[in-house]
Each structure stands twice: as structure tokens, then as C-alpha cells.
Amino acid sequence: MGWPEKTVLALLPHVPKFALRRVASRYIAGETLESALAKLNELSARGHAGIIDILGEDVTGEAQARAVVAEYQQAATAVARAKLDCYVSVKPTHCGLRTSEALALERYRELCRHCAPLGLFVRVEMEDYTTTDATLRIFEALRAEFTNVGIVLQSRLFRTPDDIAKLKPGPLQVRMVKGIYLESATIAHTTPDPIRAAYVACSEQLFARGARISFATHDEGMSRDLVALVTKHRRAKSDYEFQVLLGVQEPLWSRWREAGHRVRVYVPFGPEWQPYSLRRMRKNPEIVRHVLRQTFGLA
Ligand SMILES: Cc1cc2nc3c(=O)[nH]c(=O)nc-3n(C[C@H](O)[C@H](O)[C@H](O)COP(=O)(O)OP(=O)(O)OC[C@H]3O[C@@H](n4cnc5c(N)ncnc54)[C@H](O)[C@@H]3O)c2cc1C
């Protein structure tokens, strides 16, 4: 990365909101539920299933957590009414985990109860390592009551193979990710190759215990190993899918679709788009160049 990109990265939080909004529109459906539904419909017309995510995390207090779940319920009802192939994905700290585990569990229960009769699935997302134990406990409690619930596991963490081994027997739906939170070398792999190797190994462990896996990645090289695993374990098309983030590596989605794999797109929306977009931009120097062009007219 050259000095202009490094400078923009440092200045990103101060970039004018209009410029940020224009670039962010690639990653975010918009601020409203209507904008998310429009994006999901557009993706559906292109053959992609969806995941709906309301932007936000780290809410505190019961009232805020209840309000978040009410918004998710409204989104779920709208998705079901529109007959979209789409489910909801929710962060534990958006459900109040920072306040208490019991509060977050209750909010997830409410959401699962709402989504079950609508035929909608609920994904419990995974955040930084301080939340992993509580998130797994919440997931196991939900899994004992509902069938429309799944978890996310991060290959970056050393603990993940043990976590997989400890999950109770029974049907299991896992979104496998590398992990977006940069954890310390005492608890996590910190370089790309070991994270990739762990991803493939965890996926193999999950297939061996009969899980259905959502491969959430844009890593085309690694995807070849994942497809080899699918073949080795003779898994049906319905046993796995690729999941991608809105606006990230779109040509790859088409290549996967053309090869016959299902692709599901993560569609975030909501007024809290700024921190999410900044995270996306920090990840990709190409986009930083785009910000430069839009803001200062520089190539
Ligand atoms: C549907 C979905 C849900 C997720 N849910 C979670 C979760 O609950 N918890 C969690 O910790 N992580 C989650 N993640 C993020 C995940 O952990 C990784 O951080 C992210 O997917 C990047 O890893 P990668 O496998 O795509 O490989 P990388 O090697 O990081 O990326 C491969 C290529 O894609 C590009 N790329 C990847 N991500 C981005 C991006 N965000 N913006 C721009 N370019 C990008 C890279 O520049 C690179 O060229 C999710 C990811 C997806 C796709």
C-alpha cells in the first residue's frame, strides 16, 4: 500500500460523510428495511439467496436489546411476506450480551419463536474472543429448543476444533469464517496460511460429524480445497453453500454460481452504516483508492 492509501486509511474517520456514503453504498443496502428488501429482490433476480443483518453491536440495557429484536422481527416478517430465500443474522452484543448472557439468550429466544412459524432461520454470529464462551452457551440453549438456529465458528481461534468436538450431538448448521477480530497470538493463528489450513481442517471435522456448512469466504484458492472436501465427503448441494459480503469480490460469486454452487449474500442495512463501512474499507486498499478518487479527484 502506498503513502496516499496509508494517509487515507488514517484519515478515514474524518472523510466527509457524503464521500463515505457513496463508497459505502457498495457494501450497505441502505438505511431502511425497504432498501434492504430492494437489494434482496435484486440479488434474488440474479439467482442469489440472502442474509439480512441490521447494523449495530454492543447495545446496553434491556430496552435497547428489546428494540433491536423488534426491528429484526419486523424485518423477518417482511422477508417472509416477500417470499425471499433469506434469513436473519444477529450479533450477540446487539442482543444485549454486554449487559448479560440471560438478556441476550431471552432476546434470541424471542426472535427464534417469531421466525420459526415464518420458516426463517436465525444465525447467531460470533464476535471477539471475550464473547465466545457465552455465545456457544446461548447457541446450545437455543439448539435444545429450536431447529431454525445456527452458529458461526472462527478458524483463526486455536480453540475452535475443541469447540466443535464439544458441541452436543444432533443436527448442526455452522457458518465457517476465518474471523474478523484480530486476536492475540496466544489464542489465535495470526497469519493467512495457518488460518486457511485451520478453516479447511475445521470444515472437514464438521462434515465428518454431519454438519451443514456455510463457507463464508472470498478466498478463491481456499474454496478449491473446500470443494474437494465436499466431493470427498459426498455431500449434496443442499449440505453446503458459499456466503459472501455485499459488494465484495462479485466476479467470484458468478464463477461459483456457474460451477453449480449456491451463493448467499450478506446484506447489511441500517443507520449505523458508518463503522461497518470503515471496517470494510480498511480491509481493502482498492476501496481506499476509490475514496481518494471520489474525495480529492486523485487517481
Ligand atoms: C457472510 C459472512 C458472514 C460473516 N460473519 C462473520 C462473523 O459472524 N464473525 C466473524 O468474526 N467474521 C465474520 N465474517 C468475516 C470473516 O471472518 C472474514 O473476516 C472475511 O470473510 C474475510 O475473510 P476471507 O475468507 O474472505 O479471506 P481474505 O483472505 O480476508 O479475503 C479474500 C479476498 O477478499 C477480499 N475481501 C475479503 N473481505 C473483504 C471485505 N470485508 N472488504 C473488502 N474486501 C474483502 C480481500 O481483499 C481478498 O482479496 C463473515 C464473512 C462473511 C462473508
Side-chain angles (χ1 to χ4, degrees), residues 26-27 51 87 89-92 123-128 151-156 175-181 183 192 195-196 199 214-220 222 242-249 252 256 264-267 276-277 279-287:
R26 174 171 163 182
Y27 301 108
I51 302 169
Y87 67 73
S89 199
V90 192
K91 287 185 176 49
R123 179 77 65 185
V124 178
E125 295 200 343
M126 192 59 84
E127 300 179 83
D128 70 78
I151 186 72
V152 177
L153 295 173
Q154 299 160 326
S155 69
R156 172 185 299 278
R175 174 194 295 157
M176 198 67 223
V177 299
K178 289 181 182 173
I180 191 104
Y181 306 89
E183 310 290 10
I195 296 174
R196 269 190 209 112
Y199 191 117
S214 300
F215 300 121
T217 183
H218 315 87
D219 185 332
E220 190 167 18
M222 186 177 77
F242 285 102
Q243 296 192 345
V244 289
L245 300 172
L246 184 66
V248 176
Q249 303 276 26
L252 181 58
W256 280 337
R264 191 178 285 275
V265 185
Y266 190 88
V267 177
Y276 179 86
S277 312
R279 277 209 301 273
R280 298 281 80 85
M281 289 172 205
R282 285 199 181 97
K283 181 95 184 155
N284 190 344
E286 248 327 290
I287 293 145

Side-chain angles (χ1 to χ4, degrees), residues 1-10 285-286 288-289 292 299:
M1 200 186 296
W3 69 263
E5 290 87 1
K6 281 190 183 147
T7 310
V8 170
L9 268 184
E286 248 327 290
V288 177
R289 273 172 221 131
L292 268 173

Side-chain angles (χ1 to χ4, degrees), residues 151-168:
I151 186 72
V152 177
L153 295 173
Q154 299 160 326
S155 69
R156 172 185 299 278
L157 294 185
F158 295 150
R159 59 177 287 168
T160 298
D162 278 347
D163 288 337
I164 295 173
K166 284 183 199 147
L167 284 169
K168 297 206 178 85

Side-chain angles (χ1 to χ4, degrees), residues 40 43 48-52 84-88 263-267:
L40 288 164
L43 291 165
H48 299 309
I51 302 169
I52 201 162
L84 285 161
D85 180 355
C86 175
Y87 67 73
V88 296
V263 177
R264 191 178 285 275
V265 185
Y266 190 88
V267 177

Side-chain angles (χ1 to χ4, degrees), residues 177-295:
V177 299
K178 289 181 182 173
I180 191 104
Y181 306 89
L182 301 178
E183 310 290 10
S184 101
T186 55
I187 60 162
H189 304 289
T190 54
T191 50
D193 282 343
I195 296 174
R196 269 190 209 112
Y199 191 117
V200 177
C202 289
S203 300
E204 172 130 50
Q205 194 185 350
L206 285 165
F207 269 154
R209 59 165 292 168
R212 184 179 185 282
I213 312 180
S214 300
F215 300 121
T217 183
H218 315 87
D219 185 332
E220 190 167 18
M222 186 177 77
S223 77
R224 287 189 265 277
D225 295 337
L226 299 172
V227 171
L229 272 189
V230 167
T231 311
K232 178 177 165 191
H233 287 266
R234 299 185 185 181
R235 304 314 295 259
K237 293 276 175 223
S238 55
D239 290 336
Y240 76 96
E241 65 186 11
F242 285 102
Q243 296 192 345
V244 289
L245 300 172
L246 184 66
V248 176
Q249 303 276 26
E250 288 209 26
L252 181 58
W253 315 355
S254 311
R255 287 200 285 283
W256 280 337
R257 286 260 308 147
E258 279 155 22
H261 308 300
R262 242 171 103 82
V263 177
R264 191 178 285 275
V265 185
Y266 190 88
V267 177
F269 79 98
E272 292 187 40
W273 55 271
Q274 214 165 341
Y276 179 86
S277 312
L278 289 174
R279 277 209 301 273
R280 298 281 80 85
M281 289 172 205
R282 285 199 181 97
K283 181 95 184 155
N284 190 344
E286 248 327 290
I287 293 145
V288 177
R289 273 172 221 131
H290 197 47
V291 176
L292 268 173
R293 275 195 295 271
Q294 294 221 346
T295 315

